[in-house]
Amino acid sequence: MGSFVVGVTDTFYNEDGEPNLSALRGNFLGLPDDVEVVKVPQGNTGNCEPDSLRGIDAFVMGGGKFDTYSLSGNDRLLGVFRWGVGYDTVNLEDCAAAGVVAVNAPEGVRKAMAHTAIALVLALAHQIPAQDRFTRSGETWANKAKYLGPGLVGKTLGVVGLGNIGQEIVRIASALDCTILGYDPYAKLDNPNIRRVEIDQLMRESDFIIVQCALTPETTKLISAERLAMMKPTAYLVNTARGPVVDEAALIAALQNGTIAGAGLDVFEKEPIQPDNPLLTMDNVILAPHSLGWTDYFALTTAKSVADSIMAVYIGELPANTVNRRQLESSGVLPRFNRQKG
């Protein structure tokens, strides 16, 4: 192996050994020639296996969990680099205690995921999947009025989570002639196009709700059975954040009982979605395998962000997107790349 080795989980590659994201074929991360890139088996346990991570300096991961188990017997790894913005599967404290930096790549996600959320809202508002099925069925077009959607003009759109992606959603939605409500107890946002409200009011008043907040202990099952019951029976829920932010069992019940009209989901409590999940049989739900935002723009921008962060560690600097900075400072442990530099 080379003097600096980057391990990339094998889930990024297809059976031909090419990156799954077509925009990155031929130049995945664009790293210098003296940096070696190797594939790391993901495994089936849900954890990043320690045996696969030995002998590498930087680990680029998609899914799976990364914690002290993953670091067992490893004194070489310098950094863990998440592909995208979410890092809820990485234990920041465990990384800090070992002197390993944890880094995300939020730059490519903002526009791609905002567009994804709005696309799901518009698909539901215009009943595009239902109209597609109707057109293919051969049913007489005289019945097409049964499949018309409510549209978005004059409706109320609620946005749960007003971080970078949520703010981009607001920017786009402000051109769609709808009222925008927003809930986020922490975000600072001065935008005349949105009215900040508490979450219960947002649930009651919105015709469409986009969930786009980070997954934390505070937001786990934030969209509970009680809050789903507050929604209008004509309202739709879109989740492009993380599956566990929504109580999935309660959502299934609400969809089955007609408590709400439908949903658009790019994320689930358990991924991949299980074959016996009732969501798979529902015509009033749009489903996607946690990949709707994987556009060419997302791929190229994220790859550059990850590569820039890897190169920062390579030259002995703390990456700008380090997400366990606070944990490193409080642990008093010197980052490993600093030890090597010294």
Side-chain angles (χ1 to χ4, degrees):
M1 287 190 174
S3 60
F4 192 91
V5 181
V6 176
V8 180
T9 181
D10 59 5
T11 54
F12 282 98
Y13 298 90
N14 61 25
E15 58 186 12
D16 297 322
E18 293 282 352
N20 285 316
L21 299 169
S22 59
L24 301 180
R25 291 174 189 167
N27 190 23
F28 187 8
L29 291 172
L31 296 169
D33 291 340
D34 61 342
V35 175
E36 183 178 1
V37 177
V38 299
K39 295 176 188 175
V40 174
Q42 179 65 56
N44 299 315
T45 64
N47 281 81
C48 297
E49 294 295 323
D51 289 344
S52 302
L53 300 176
R54 296 191 183 105
I56 64 175
D57 300 284
F59 176 47
V60 180
M61 62 177 288
K65 297 178 181 178
F66 192 98
D67 52 22
T68 188
Y69 168 75
S70 307
L71 286 162
S72 300
N74 191 320
D75 58 2
R76 175 170 175 171
L77 188 70
L78 306 178
V80 179
F81 302 83
R82 271 285 292 123
W83 186 269
V85 66
Y87 50 88
D88 48 277
T89 59
V90 179
N91 189 304
L92 303 186
E93 288 78 12
D94 288 353
C95 288
V100 173
V101 295
V103 186
N104 71 345
E107 292 86 352
V109 175
R110 177 181 177 121
K111 290 184 178 180
M113 289 312 303
H115 292 181
T116 291
I118 293 294
L120 285 171
V121 166
L122 291 173
L124 291 165
H126 293 275
Q127 291 295 291
I128 291 175
Q131 295 211 40
D132 175 77
R133 289 191 296 269
F134 163 74
T135 306
R136 295 171 188 272
S137 72
E139 185 178 350
T140 174
W141 282 28
N143 295 331
K144 64 184 178 182
K146 295 189 298 184
Y147 302 98
L148 302 184
L152 190 55
V153 174
K155 298 299 191 294
T156 298
L157 172 67
V159 183
V160 178
L162 297 171
N164 286 334
I165 299 172
Q167 291 180 36
E168 183 69 9
I169 290 170
V170 173
R171 187 189 70 80
I172 297 169
S174 64
L176 299 176
D177 293 323
C178 58
T179 298
I180 308 172
L181 303 181
Y183 168 75
D184 191 318
Y186 304 108
K188 295 180 180 179
L189 177 62
D190 183 16
N191 188 324
N193 296 312
I194 184 173
R195 180 159 58 97
R196 302 285 289 271
V197 296
E198 292 300 317
I199 188 167
D200 289 353
Q201 182 179 350
L202 182 148
M203 301 298 293
R204 287 192 298 267
E205 296 183 10
S206 298
D207 298 294
F208 298 88
I209 296 171
I210 296 174
V211 180
Q212 191 54 71
C213 57
L215 176 62
T216 66
E218 184 180 1
T219 63
T220 298
K221 296 193 177 181
L222 177 69
I223 310 301
S224 61
E226 293 76 15
R227 290 200 166 111
L228 288 166
M230 297 174 186
M231 293 175 64
K232 302 175 184 179
T234 55
Y236 296 85
L237 181 78
V238 167
N239 187 5
T240 48
R242 287 290 187 269
V245 177
V246 176
D247 185 331
E248 192 168 285
L251 174 62
I252 290 169
L255 291 163
Q256 290 172 330
N257 299 334
T259 302
I260 65 174
L265 307 172
D266 188 41
V267 291
F268 307 91
E269 276 194 7
K270 186 171 184 179
E271 297 179 358
I273 189 170
Q274 300 302 291
D276 60 348
N277 192 313
L279 290 168
L280 294 171
T281 66
M282 297 181 182
D283 288 340
N284 59 340
V285 182
I286 302 173
L287 305 176
H290 202 158
S291 61
L292 277 181
W294 289 11
T295 62
D296 289 351
Y297 169 83
F298 162 79
L300 291 167
T301 308
T302 302
K304 183 180 185 307
S305 175
V306 170
D308 287 348
S309 294
I310 289 172
M311 292 311 299
V313 168
Y314 179 73
I315 64 175
E317 295 179 356
L318 189 69
N321 290 331
T322 299
V323 293
N324 67 337
R325 191 185 304 261
R326 178 177 59 82
Q327 289 83 0
L328 284 164
E329 291 173 353
S330 62
S331 71
V333 177
L334 191 68
R336 288 179 177 179
F337 68 80
N338 274 345
R339 296 179 208 163
Q340 291 197 354
K341 184 172 62 173

